[in-house]
Amino acid sequence: MKIDKSKPVMLTGATGYVAGWLVKKLLDNGLTVHAAVRDPDNKEKLKYLNKIAEKSSGTIKYFKADLLAKDSYLEAMKGCELVYHTASPFSLSIKDAQKDLIDPALKGTKNVLESVNKTDTVKRVVLTSSVAAIFGDNKDIEDLPNKIITEEHWNTSSSLTHQPYSYSKMLAEKEAWKISKEQTRWDLVVINPSLVIGPGINPHGTSESFNLVKQIGDGTMKAGAPGLIVGGVDVRDLAEAHYNAGFLPEAEGRYITSNKAVTFVSLGKILRKKYGDAYPFPKKEIPKFMIWMLAPLVGFKRKMISRNIGYSWNADNSKSIEKLGVKYRPIEESIIDFFQQMIENDVFKKEK
Ligand code: NAP
Protein backbone atom coordinates (compact mmCIF):
# COMPACT_ATOMS: atom_id res chain seq x y z
CA MET A 1 0.00 0.00 0.00
CA LYS A 2 1.76 3.18 -1.19
CA ILE A 3 0.99 6.33 0.80
CA ASP A 4 1.19 9.72 -0.92
CA LYS A 5 3.31 12.01 1.29
CA SER A 6 1.70 15.13 -0.17
CA LYS A 7 -1.57 14.17 1.55
CA PRO A 8 -2.19 15.00 5.23
CA VAL A 9 -1.66 12.33 7.86
CA MET A 10 -4.04 12.05 10.80
CA LEU A 11 -3.17 11.11 14.38
CA THR A 12 -5.48 10.42 17.31
CA GLY A 13 -4.06 11.34 20.73
CA ALA A 14 -1.50 13.76 19.28
CA THR A 15 -0.81 15.27 22.72
CA GLY A 16 0.34 11.90 24.10
CA TYR A 17 3.85 10.77 25.03
CA VAL A 18 4.15 8.13 22.29
CA ALA A 19 2.53 10.35 19.66
CA GLY A 20 4.86 13.31 20.33
CA TRP A 21 7.96 11.94 18.62
CA LEU A 22 5.89 10.56 15.76
CA VAL A 23 4.40 14.01 15.17
CA LYS A 24 7.97 15.38 15.15
CA LYS A 25 9.13 12.76 12.66
CA LEU A 26 6.18 13.47 10.34
CA LEU A 27 6.71 17.24 10.56
CA ASP A 28 10.47 16.95 10.02
CA ASN A 29 9.71 15.02 6.85
CA GLY A 30 7.64 17.95 5.61
CA LEU A 31 4.25 16.32 6.05
CA THR A 32 0.98 17.96 7.03
CA VAL A 33 -0.23 16.52 10.31
CA HIS A 34 -3.90 16.56 11.25
CA ALA A 35 -3.58 16.35 15.01
CA ALA A 36 -6.78 15.21 16.70
CA VAL A 37 -6.85 16.37 20.32
CA ARG A 38 -9.50 16.58 22.99
CA ASP A 39 -8.99 20.27 23.63
CA PRO A 40 -7.50 22.36 20.80
CA ASP A 41 -7.86 25.46 23.00
CA ASN A 42 -5.49 24.13 25.65
CA LYS A 43 -2.52 26.28 24.65
CA GLU A 44 -0.36 24.97 27.50
CA LYS A 45 -0.73 21.37 26.33
CA LEU A 46 -0.19 22.19 22.66
CA LYS A 47 2.83 24.46 23.13
CA TYR A 48 5.32 21.56 22.85
CA LEU A 49 3.84 20.39 19.56
CA ASN A 50 3.74 23.97 18.28
CA LYS A 51 7.41 24.38 19.16
CA ILE A 52 8.48 21.32 17.12
CA ALA A 53 6.20 22.38 14.27
CA GLU A 54 7.84 25.83 14.12
CA LYS A 55 11.28 24.28 13.68
CA SER A 56 10.14 21.80 11.01
CA SER A 57 9.32 21.93 7.33
CA GLY A 58 5.87 20.43 7.98
CA THR A 59 2.52 21.84 9.04
CA ILE A 60 0.34 20.96 12.02
CA LYS A 61 -3.42 21.52 12.13
CA TYR A 62 -5.52 20.78 15.21
CA PHE A 63 -8.94 19.17 15.25
CA LYS A 64 -11.24 18.61 18.21
CA ALA A 65 -12.15 14.97 18.76
CA ASP A 66 -12.90 12.51 21.53
CA LEU A 67 -12.71 8.73 21.42
CA LEU A 68 -16.20 8.51 22.88
CA ALA A 69 -17.84 11.10 20.62
CA LYS A 70 -19.22 9.39 17.54
CA ASP A 71 -17.91 10.67 14.20
CA SER A 72 -15.75 13.29 15.94
CA TYR A 73 -12.64 12.20 13.96
CA LEU A 74 -14.33 12.56 10.55
CA GLU A 75 -13.29 16.17 10.04
CA ALA A 76 -9.62 15.48 10.95
CA MET A 77 -9.53 12.46 8.64
CA LYS A 78 -10.74 14.34 5.54
CA GLY A 79 -8.29 13.87 2.64
CA CYS A 80 -5.92 11.61 4.63
CA GLU A 81 -4.52 8.38 3.24
CA LEU A 82 -2.80 7.42 6.48
CA VAL A 83 -4.35 7.37 9.96
CA TYR A 84 -2.42 6.69 13.17
CA HIS A 85 -4.60 5.63 16.08
CA THR A 86 -2.46 6.11 19.18
CA ALA A 87 -5.04 7.48 21.65
CA SER A 88 -5.91 5.24 24.55
CA PRO A 89 -5.54 5.83 28.28
CA PHE A 90 -2.36 4.31 29.76
CA SER A 91 -2.83 4.39 33.50
CA LEU A 92 -2.41 1.74 36.17
CA SER A 93 -4.25 3.71 38.86
CA ILE A 94 -7.85 3.90 37.76
CA LYS A 95 -11.12 3.86 39.70
CA ASP A 96 -13.50 2.28 37.21
CA ALA A 97 -11.83 -0.06 34.71
CA GLN A 98 -14.81 -0.16 32.37
CA LYS A 99 -15.26 3.59 32.18
CA ASP A 100 -11.62 4.68 32.47
CA LEU A 101 -9.90 2.05 30.30
CA ILE A 102 -12.12 -0.37 28.38
CA ASP A 103 -14.62 2.13 26.97
CA PRO A 104 -12.10 4.62 25.54
CA ALA A 105 -9.92 1.79 24.20
CA LEU A 106 -12.63 -0.42 22.69
CA LYS A 107 -15.43 2.02 21.85
CA GLY A 108 -12.76 4.53 20.80
CA THR A 109 -11.15 2.11 18.35
CA LYS A 110 -14.58 1.24 16.93
CA ASN A 111 -15.41 4.92 16.59
CA VAL A 112 -12.12 5.77 14.83
CA LEU A 113 -12.37 2.81 12.44
CA GLU A 114 -16.02 3.50 11.63
CA SER A 115 -14.89 6.97 10.56
CA VAL A 116 -12.09 5.38 8.51
CA ASN A 117 -14.78 3.29 6.78
CA LYS A 118 -16.66 6.50 5.98
CA THR A 119 -13.55 8.27 4.61
CA ASP A 120 -12.80 7.07 1.08
CA THR A 121 -9.27 8.50 0.95
CA VAL A 122 -7.86 6.33 3.79
CA LYS A 123 -5.61 3.51 2.61
CA ARG A 124 -3.79 2.50 5.80
CA VAL A 125 -4.39 2.58 9.56
CA VAL A 126 -1.52 2.12 12.01
CA LEU A 127 -2.75 1.17 15.46
CA THR A 128 -0.68 1.60 18.61
CA SER A 129 -1.47 -1.55 20.53
CA SER A 130 0.88 -3.01 23.15
CA VAL A 131 2.67 -6.18 24.14
CA ALA A 132 -0.13 -6.18 26.74
CA ALA A 133 -2.42 -7.39 23.92
CA ILE A 134 -0.02 -10.32 23.42
CA PHE A 135 0.40 -11.54 27.00
CA GLY A 136 -1.30 -10.77 30.31
CA ASP A 137 1.06 -11.85 33.09
CA ASN A 138 4.75 -12.75 33.01
CA LYS A 139 3.74 -16.25 34.08
CA ASP A 140 1.92 -16.59 30.73
CA ILE A 141 5.27 -16.09 28.99
CA GLU A 142 7.00 -18.71 31.13
CA ASP A 143 4.25 -21.15 30.24
CA LEU A 144 4.88 -20.74 26.49
CA PRO A 145 6.91 -23.54 24.85
CA ASN A 146 9.98 -21.36 24.23
CA LYS A 147 9.25 -18.86 27.06
CA ILE A 148 9.13 -16.03 24.52
CA ILE A 149 6.29 -13.95 23.07
CA THR A 150 5.93 -13.53 19.31
CA GLU A 151 3.38 -11.76 17.10
CA GLU A 152 1.42 -15.06 17.01
CA HIS A 153 0.34 -14.85 20.64
CA TRP A 154 -2.66 -13.21 22.29
CA ASN A 155 -3.38 -12.21 25.86
CA THR A 156 -5.87 -14.73 27.28
CA SER A 157 -5.46 -14.11 31.02
CA SER A 158 -6.49 -10.47 31.57
CA SER A 159 -10.01 -9.38 32.46
CA LEU A 160 -11.98 -6.42 33.77
CA THR A 161 -10.78 -7.23 37.29
CA HIS A 162 -7.28 -8.60 36.58
CA GLN A 163 -4.83 -6.42 34.59
CA PRO A 164 -7.63 -4.27 33.08
CA TYR A 165 -5.22 -2.06 31.09
CA SER A 166 -3.87 -5.13 29.30
CA TYR A 167 -7.44 -6.33 28.79
CA SER A 168 -8.37 -2.98 27.22
CA LYS A 169 -5.46 -3.22 24.76
CA MET A 170 -6.29 -6.81 23.79
CA LEU A 171 -9.99 -6.02 23.22
CA ALA A 172 -9.18 -2.90 21.19
CA GLU A 173 -6.64 -4.64 18.95
CA LYS A 174 -8.94 -7.63 18.33
CA GLU A 175 -11.75 -5.24 17.38
CA ALA A 176 -9.43 -3.40 15.00
CA TRP A 177 -8.49 -6.65 13.21
CA LYS A 178 -12.18 -7.64 13.01
CA ILE A 179 -13.22 -4.32 11.44
CA SER A 180 -10.25 -4.25 9.05
CA LYS A 181 -11.01 -7.76 7.78
CA GLU A 182 -14.57 -6.77 6.89
CA GLN A 183 -13.34 -4.53 4.06
CA THR A 184 -10.52 -4.29 1.50
CA ARG A 185 -9.91 -0.56 0.89
CA TRP A 186 -7.51 0.04 3.80
CA ASP A 187 -5.01 -2.19 5.53
CA LEU A 188 -4.17 -2.37 9.21
CA VAL A 189 -0.65 -2.40 10.63
CA VAL A 190 -0.23 -2.81 14.39
CA ILE A 191 2.64 -1.74 16.61
CA ASN A 192 2.96 -3.66 19.90
CA PRO A 193 5.41 -1.75 22.12
CA SER A 194 6.66 -2.81 25.53
CA LEU A 195 7.16 -0.21 28.30
CA VAL A 196 8.10 3.03 26.60
CA ILE A 197 10.88 5.14 28.08
CA GLY A 198 12.92 8.11 26.92
CA PRO A 199 12.41 11.88 26.99
CA GLY A 200 9.00 13.27 26.07
CA ILE A 201 8.29 16.04 23.59
CA ASN A 202 6.21 17.32 26.49
CA PRO A 203 8.57 16.99 29.49
CA HIS A 204 5.58 16.96 31.86
CA GLY A 205 3.83 13.97 30.26
CA THR A 206 1.14 12.15 32.18
CA SER A 207 1.65 8.70 30.64
CA GLU A 208 2.28 5.94 33.22
CA SER A 209 5.83 5.74 31.78
CA PHE A 210 6.66 9.04 33.55
CA ASN A 211 5.24 7.87 36.84
CA LEU A 212 7.14 4.55 36.79
CA VAL A 213 10.52 6.10 35.95
CA LYS A 214 9.99 8.94 38.45
CA GLN A 215 9.60 6.34 41.21
CA ILE A 216 13.12 5.03 40.48
CA GLY A 217 14.55 8.38 41.59
CA ASP A 218 12.09 9.87 44.07
CA GLY A 219 12.74 7.50 46.97
CA THR A 220 9.64 5.33 46.48
CA MET A 221 11.93 2.33 45.91
CA LYS A 222 14.67 3.33 48.32
CA ALA A 223 14.14 0.29 50.55
CA GLY A 224 13.76 -2.05 47.59
CA ALA A 225 11.94 -2.46 44.31
CA PRO A 226 9.51 -5.10 43.08
CA GLY A 227 11.30 -7.83 41.10
CA LEU A 228 9.23 -7.26 38.02
CA ILE A 229 10.86 -7.83 34.64
CA VAL A 230 9.45 -5.82 31.72
CA GLY A 231 10.49 -5.08 28.17
CA GLY A 232 11.60 -1.52 27.50
CA VAL A 233 11.69 0.50 24.30
CA ASP A 234 12.82 4.02 23.53
CA VAL A 235 10.06 6.48 22.60
CA ARG A 236 12.20 7.77 19.69
CA ASP A 237 12.75 4.27 18.29
CA LEU A 238 9.03 3.66 18.65
CA ALA A 239 8.31 6.76 16.55
CA GLU A 240 10.61 5.34 13.87
CA ALA A 241 8.64 2.08 13.97
CA HIS A 242 5.32 3.91 13.62
CA TYR A 243 6.65 6.05 10.78
CA ASN A 244 7.94 3.06 8.82
CA ALA A 245 4.75 1.10 9.55
CA GLY A 246 2.86 3.95 7.90
CA PHE A 247 4.97 4.42 4.80
CA LEU A 248 6.63 1.10 3.95
CA PRO A 249 4.30 -0.38 1.33
CA GLU A 250 5.09 -3.94 2.46
CA ALA A 251 4.39 -3.33 6.17
CA GLU A 252 1.80 -5.82 7.42
CA GLY A 253 0.44 -7.47 10.54
CA ARG A 254 1.77 -6.92 14.05
CA TYR A 255 5.22 -5.77 15.14
CA ILE A 256 6.53 -6.37 18.64
CA THR A 257 8.52 -3.18 19.28
CA SER A 258 10.73 -3.84 22.28
CA ASN A 259 14.42 -3.52 22.97
CA LYS A 260 15.59 -5.17 26.18
CA ALA A 261 14.14 -6.68 29.32
CA VAL A 262 14.76 -4.47 32.35
CA THR A 263 13.91 -4.28 36.06
CA PHE A 264 13.68 -1.28 38.37
CA VAL A 265 16.94 -2.38 39.97
CA SER A 266 18.75 -2.75 36.62
CA LEU A 267 17.56 0.73 35.59
CA GLY A 268 18.62 2.06 39.01
CA LYS A 269 22.06 0.56 38.46
CA ILE A 270 22.47 2.35 35.12
CA LEU A 271 21.37 5.63 36.71
CA ARG A 272 23.67 5.19 39.72
CA LYS A 273 26.62 4.75 37.38
CA LYS A 274 25.78 8.14 35.87
CA TYR A 275 24.52 10.12 38.89
CA GLY A 276 26.19 8.33 41.81
CA ASP A 277 24.16 8.49 45.02
CA ALA A 278 22.60 11.87 44.23
CA TYR A 279 19.22 10.13 44.02
CA PRO A 280 17.82 7.23 46.10
CA PHE A 281 17.90 4.63 43.32
CA PRO A 282 16.77 1.12 44.26
CA LYS A 283 19.67 -1.20 45.06
CA LYS A 284 17.84 -4.43 45.79
CA GLU A 285 14.62 -6.27 45.18
CA ILE A 286 12.00 -6.80 47.87
CA PRO A 287 11.37 -10.52 48.49
CA LYS A 288 8.27 -11.69 46.65
CA PHE A 289 6.49 -12.95 49.79
CA MET A 290 6.85 -9.52 51.36
CA ILE A 291 5.33 -7.72 48.38
CA TRP A 292 2.60 -10.34 48.28
CA MET A 293 1.80 -9.62 51.95
CA LEU A 294 1.87 -5.85 51.54
CA ALA A 295 0.16 -5.71 48.12
CA PRO A 296 -3.40 -4.83 49.26
CA LEU A 297 -2.06 -2.00 51.43
CA VAL A 298 -0.50 -0.29 48.43
CA GLY A 299 -3.39 -0.93 46.08
CA PHE A 300 -2.14 -4.03 44.26
CA LYS A 301 -3.95 -7.33 43.93
CA ARG A 302 -2.15 -10.42 45.26
CA LYS A 303 -2.96 -12.31 42.06
CA MET A 304 -1.03 -9.70 40.10
CA ILE A 305 2.01 -10.19 42.35
CA SER A 306 1.79 -13.99 42.29
CA ARG A 307 1.66 -14.18 38.51
CA ASN A 308 4.24 -11.53 37.65
CA ILE A 309 7.00 -10.98 40.20
CA GLY A 310 10.02 -13.19 39.71
CA TYR A 311 9.04 -14.52 36.28
CA SER A 312 11.22 -13.97 33.23
CA TRP A 313 10.28 -11.77 30.26
CA ASN A 314 11.28 -12.46 26.68
CA ALA A 315 9.99 -11.07 23.41
CA ASP A 316 10.99 -11.78 19.82
CA ASN A 317 11.59 -8.35 18.26
CA SER A 318 13.22 -9.69 15.07
CA LYS A 319 10.28 -8.77 12.80
CA SER A 320 10.55 -5.10 13.83
CA ILE A 321 14.29 -5.10 13.08
CA GLU A 322 14.22 -7.09 9.84
CA LYS A 323 10.99 -5.86 8.24
CA LEU A 324 10.43 -2.43 9.78
CA GLY A 325 14.08 -1.39 9.96
CA VAL A 326 13.99 -0.41 13.64
CA LYS A 327 17.46 0.18 15.09
CA TYR A 328 17.15 -0.03 18.86
CA ARG A 329 19.44 2.38 20.70
CA PRO A 330 21.08 1.19 23.93
CA ILE A 331 18.58 1.11 26.79
CA GLU A 332 21.16 3.03 28.89
CA GLU A 333 20.68 6.01 26.57
CA SER A 334 16.89 5.81 26.87
CA ILE A 335 16.78 5.77 30.65
CA ILE A 336 19.51 8.38 31.14
CA ASP A 337 17.96 10.81 28.64
CA PHE A 338 14.56 10.33 30.29
CA PHE A 339 15.93 10.83 33.80
CA GLN A 340 18.00 13.83 32.76
CA GLN A 341 14.89 15.45 31.32
CA MET A 342 13.11 14.90 34.64
CA ILE A 343 16.01 16.49 36.54
CA GLU A 344 16.03 19.49 34.22
CA ASN A 345 12.30 19.90 34.75
CA ASP A 346 12.58 19.86 38.54
CA VAL A 347 10.64 16.62 38.97
CA PHE A 348 12.82 15.61 41.96
CA LYS A 349 13.17 19.04 43.56
CA LYS A 350 10.86 18.31 46.48
CA GLU A 351 12.30 14.86 47.16
CA LYS A 352 15.92 16.02 47.33
P1 NAP B 1 -0.48 9.27 27.11
O1 NAP B 1 0.67 10.18 27.07
O2 NAP B 1 -1.37 9.28 28.29
O3 NAP B 1 -1.32 9.46 25.80
C1 NAP B 1 -2.64 9.03 25.68
C2 NAP B 1 -3.33 9.88 24.64
O4 NAP B 1 -4.67 9.41 24.49
C3 NAP B 1 -3.40 11.35 25.02
O5 NAP B 1 -3.13 12.13 23.87
C4 NAP B 1 -4.83 11.52 25.45
O6 NAP B 1 -5.34 12.81 25.18
C5 NAP B 1 -5.52 10.52 24.54
N1 NAP B 1 -6.85 10.15 25.08
C6 NAP B 1 -7.11 9.51 26.23
N2 NAP B 1 -8.45 9.39 26.36
C7 NAP B 1 -9.01 9.99 25.29
C8 NAP B 1 -10.33 10.23 24.85
N3 NAP B 1 -11.40 9.82 25.58
N4 NAP B 1 -10.53 10.87 23.68
C9 NAP B 1 -9.47 11.30 22.93
N5 NAP B 1 -8.18 11.13 23.30
C10 NAP B 1 -7.97 10.48 24.47
O7 NAP B 1 0.00 7.75 26.99
P2 NAP B 1 1.06 7.08 26.00
O8 NAP B 1 1.97 6.33 26.87
O9 NAP B 1 1.57 8.05 25.02
O10 NAP B 1 0.12 6.05 25.26
C11 NAP B 1 -0.20 6.20 23.87
C12 NAP B 1 -0.53 4.85 23.30
O11 NAP B 1 0.59 3.99 23.44
C13 NAP B 1 -1.70 4.15 24.00
O12 NAP B 1 -2.45 3.47 23.02
C14 NAP B 1 -1.00 3.15 24.92
O13 NAP B 1 -1.82 2.05 25.23
C15 NAP B 1 0.18 2.76 24.02
N6 NAP B 1 1.31 2.17 24.73
C16 NAP B 1 2.01 2.89 25.66
C17 NAP B 1 3.08 2.30 26.31
C18 NAP B 1 3.90 3.05 27.33
O14 NAP B 1 4.75 2.44 28.01
N7 NAP B 1 3.76 4.36 27.45
C19 NAP B 1 3.42 0.96 26.05
C20 NAP B 1 2.68 0.25 25.10
C21 NAP B 1 1.63 0.87 24.45
P3 NAP B 1 -5.32 14.00 26.25
O15 NAP B 1 -3.98 14.66 26.09
O16 NAP B 1 -6.43 14.88 25.86
O17 NAP B 1 -5.47 13.37 27.61
Side-chain angles (χ1 to χ4, degrees), residues 39-79:
D39 184 4
D41 298 324
N42 186 338
K43 293 207 170 65
E44 184 56 28
K45 214 167 192 180
L46 301 187
K47 75 177 181 196
Y48 305 102
L49 292 178
N50 288 333
K51 215 190 273 176
I52 55 171
E54 270 165 32
K55 289 188 193 144
S56 78
S57 53
T59 308
I60 193 161
K61 292 179 186 166
Y62 297 103
F63 295 82
K64 186 176 171 63
D66 191 295
L67 288 170
L68 298 173
K70 198 168 159 42
D71 292 341
S72 66
Y73 289 94
L74 272 177
E75 188 59 29
M77 230 174 253
K78 242 184 215 166

Side-chain angles (χ1 to χ4, degrees), residues 43-163:
K43 293 207 170 65
E44 184 56 28
K45 214 167 192 180
L46 301 187
K47 75 177 181 196
Y48 305 102
L49 292 178
N50 288 333
K51 215 190 273 176
I52 55 171
E54 270 165 32
K55 289 188 193 144
S56 78
S57 53
T59 308
I60 193 161
K61 292 179 186 166
Y62 297 103
F63 295 82
K64 186 176 171 63
D66 191 295
L67 288 170
L68 298 173
K70 198 168 159 42
D71 292 341
S72 66
Y73 289 94
L74 272 177
E75 188 59 29
M77 230 174 253
K78 242 184 215 166
C80 297
E81 288 191 357
L82 176 58
V83 166
Y84 286 101
H85 177 31
T86 78
S88 201
F90 176 37
S91 175
L92 301 179
S93 47
I94 41 98
K95 286 198 181 97
D96 179 338
Q98 184 67 45
K99 196 168 133 284
D100 299 337
L101 292 173
I102 315 289
D103 286 352
L106 181 57
K107 289 186 184 166
T109 297
K110 257 190 214 173
N111 185 21
V112 171
L113 296 183
E114 275 164 11
S115 295
V116 167
N117 276 340
K118 290 178 191 165
T119 307
D120 288 344
T121 50
V122 179
K123 292 182 174 173
R124 173 167 290 177
V125 175
V126 178
L127 170 75
T128 312
S129 182
S130 169
V131 288
I134 293 183
F135 80 101
D137 297 311
N138 285 24
K139 182 168 189 322
D140 301 343
I141 304 178
E142 283 225 342
D143 291 344
L144 292 173
N146 297 318
K147 299 185 193 300
I148 185 164
I149 51 165
T150 72
E151 283 87 358
E152 299 298 311
H153 298 114
W154 281 95
N155 176 350
T156 55
S157 65
S158 298
S159 67
L160 193 58
T161 53
H162 178 66
Q163 306 275 47

Side-chain angles (χ1 to χ4, degrees), residues 224-235:
L228 179 66
I229 308 178
V230 296
V233 62
D234 192 283
V235 68

